[in-house]
């Protein structure tokens, strides 16, 4: 079974679970999301454990012994916790109690590795009992029985070979009905091909060991996984933070299933701007690689005053103003970008998604940040991506590539906005998808700094400064004037057509003028 078939199966399972929770009166609620994500996670950990057990070297080794010595990349479960064993107990009158106990015991078995820490220091267990989300015992039993039948029906035991990120697609499908988290910023989905482009460019294939990879707005981890896979999961340690409980729980399972469990203690849930979690003593920790697709515009008005007195001095260019009318349009990405600049190591490299408008803004915080990037000689280049590459936002985006490993004197700027194919999404939206050839063209052109008409151009820092620090490639392409050969007769006919067209416009303009003057002349004041 291929990638798309697995994704289709996962979506089907999620839809079945959504129907179940909806039938129990939890449709479109936070509890519905928690139940579905919890069951989804339990299923994948169960199948991963069985996959590892079935391919063990010592076929004589018993299940309990195997579990005792299993590595941290596989969750521990006793035999009675397995979905197949629970499935056989569903006729018991207290099956909902049995299922809840299994969830709690699996959490306890794995608490040292799989718990998520918040910025306040509290730890969130891997699973909560399902009864925590329902207050009706009859519904608790129905939920447990129907859930175990759905989980038992599907088999994901053959997807664990090598690294993968099935969840960026599935995650979007799962939370499509809940795109906000406690009034804070919406989930921002990063398509896999964007993650591939960023990883292939930011890491130059030079072997490294013991490097740090960070995302301050990690979501479900697409960018982190792409880069970790490129570097090698044994050669890097992941660090992340995200305000969203939803995406953080999926990042956790993504790390577990991709042999990155050694980084789980670095996954933090909380507000990166207000309470950055990764510090060394009282200073912000610095990272070798940073990849991020931060939220662009979101209401952070409640913390803006706190950010203005930032103890880490991150916001050298300032913090965005609160809009008078629509606070949801606060350009919060500008704070994230400054945070990234403050946490990039002295020889560090970064790839950051920004709205394309950032590249050419003539004043304010965006221009100050661009001036800083140029003055520090760290701009390696920019790629302006096709419109609608994110299904949930129509904002045009670009990717900044920053590199402090050496001083740059010029930048490679690309305009890839005309590439890709537009497709309809599950809903009414439309998004652009890049083909394998498109992706290869972008990566190879950028890495080779190959100048191609209307696609890529190398621009000196001096020229960028003269152009008011614009990072947009199209501003530096040569203007083209198309000449057409015309015979004297064709030329005269063209001039005649233009004269006739202009005369028609002039006549219509005069007619409208006379009509307006006549109407004005007929106006009388009623007393």
């Amino acid at each position: 079974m291929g990638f798309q078939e697995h994704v289709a199966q996962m979506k089907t399972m999620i839809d079945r679970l959504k129907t179940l929770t909806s039938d129990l009166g939890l449709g479109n609620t936070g509890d519905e999301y928690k139940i579905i994500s919890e069951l989804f996670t339990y299923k994948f950990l169960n199948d991963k454990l069985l996959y590892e057990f079935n391919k063990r070297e010592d076929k004589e080794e018993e299940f309990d012994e195997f579990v005792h010595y299993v590595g941290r990349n596989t969750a521990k479960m006793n035999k009675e916790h397995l979905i197949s064993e629970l499935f056989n107990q569903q006729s018991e009158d207290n099956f909902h109690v049995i299922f809840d106990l299994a969830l709690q015991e699996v959490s306890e078995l794995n608490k040292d590795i799989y718990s998520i820490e918040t910025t306040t220091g509290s730890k969130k267990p891997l699973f909560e009992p399902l009864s925590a989300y329902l207050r009706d015992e009859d519904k608790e039993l129905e939920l447990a029985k129907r859930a175990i039948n759905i989980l038992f029906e599907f088999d994901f035991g053959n997807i664990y070979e090598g690294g993968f990120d099935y969840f960026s697609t599935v995650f979007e499908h799962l939370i499509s009905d809940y795109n906000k988290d406690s009034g804070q910023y919406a989930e921002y989905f990063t398509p896999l091909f964007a993650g591939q482009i960023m990883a292939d460019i930011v890491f130059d294939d030079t072997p490294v060991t013991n490097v740090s990879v960070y995302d301050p707005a990690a979501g479900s981890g697409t960018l982190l996984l792409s880069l970790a896979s490129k570097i090698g999961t044994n050669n890097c340690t992941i660090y992340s933070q995200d305000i969203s409980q939803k995406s953080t729980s999926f990042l956790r399972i993504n790390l577990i299933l991709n042999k990155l469990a050694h980084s789980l203690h670095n996954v933090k849930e909380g507000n990166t701007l207000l309470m950055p979690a990764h510090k060394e003593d009282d200073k912000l920790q610095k990272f070798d690689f940073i990849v991020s697709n931060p939220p662009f515009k979101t209401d952070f008005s409640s913390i803006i005053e706190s950010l203005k007195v930032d103890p880490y001095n991150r916001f050298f260019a300032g913090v965005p103003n609160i809009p008078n009318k629509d606070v949801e349009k606060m350009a919060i990405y500008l704070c994230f970008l400054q945070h990234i600049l403050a946490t990039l190591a002295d020889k560090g490299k970064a790839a950051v998604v920004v709205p394309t408008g950032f590249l050419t803004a003539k004043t304010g915080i965006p221009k100050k940040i661009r001036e800083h990037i140029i003055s520090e000689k760290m701009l390696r280049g920019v790629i302006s991506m096709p419109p609608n590459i994110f299904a949930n936002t129509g904002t045009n985006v670009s990717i900044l590539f920053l590199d402090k490993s050496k001083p740059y004197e010029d930048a490679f700027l690309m305009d890839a906005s005309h590439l890709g194919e537009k497709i309809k999404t599950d809903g009414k939206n439309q998004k652009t998808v890049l083909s394998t050839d498109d992706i290869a063209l972008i990566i190879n052109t950028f890495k080779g700094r190959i100048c191609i008409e209307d696609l890529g151009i190398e621009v000196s820092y001096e020229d960028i400064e003269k152009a008011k620090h614009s990072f947009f490639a199209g501003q530096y392409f040569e203007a083209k004037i198309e000449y057409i050969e015309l015979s004297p007769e064709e030329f005269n006919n063209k001039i005649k057509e233009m004269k006739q067209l202009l005369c028609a416009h002039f006549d219509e303009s005069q007619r409208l003028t006379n009509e307006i003057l006549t109407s004005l002349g007929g106006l009388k004041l009623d007393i």
Side-chain angles (χ1 to χ4, degrees), residues 175-188:
I175 71 166
S176 58
D177 296 327
Y178 338 95
N179 67 343
K180 293 226 172 173
D181 199 26
S182 304
Q184 295 293 335
Y185 58 79
E187 312 293 350
Y188 281 73

Side-chain angles (χ1 to χ4, degrees), residues 344 346-350 376-380 401-408:
L344 190 60
D346 289 342
K347 299 292 183 182
K349 300 177 181 181
E376 294 295 317
K377 300 185 182 299
M378 68 170 78
L379 181 65
R380 180 181 174 190
F401 291 93
L402 309 175
D403 185 354
K404 294 174 70 175
S405 66
K406 65 176 184 179
Y408 283 81

Side-chain angles (χ1 to χ4, degrees), residues 115-125 241 265 267-270 275-277 279:
S115 295
I116 294 293
E117 185 176 332
T118 67
T119 51
T120 60
S122 63
K123 287 199 171 185
K124 295 193 173 182
Q241 189 166 345
H265 64 286
V267 175
K268 305 295 183 181
E269 181 185 314
M275 297 179 66
K279 293 176 285 188

Side-chain angles (χ1 to χ4, degrees), residues 316-321 331 333-334 338 358 360-372 468-469:
F316 62 90
V319 296
N321 293 323
Y333 79 94
L334 295 169
Q338 291 176 88
F358 167 82
T360 55
K362 292 181 171 60
T363 59
I365 298 173
K367 188 167 186 289
K368 289 179 182 178
I369 294 175
R370 297 199 312 270
E371 289 172 346
H372 173 79
K468 298 183 179 179
H469 292 84

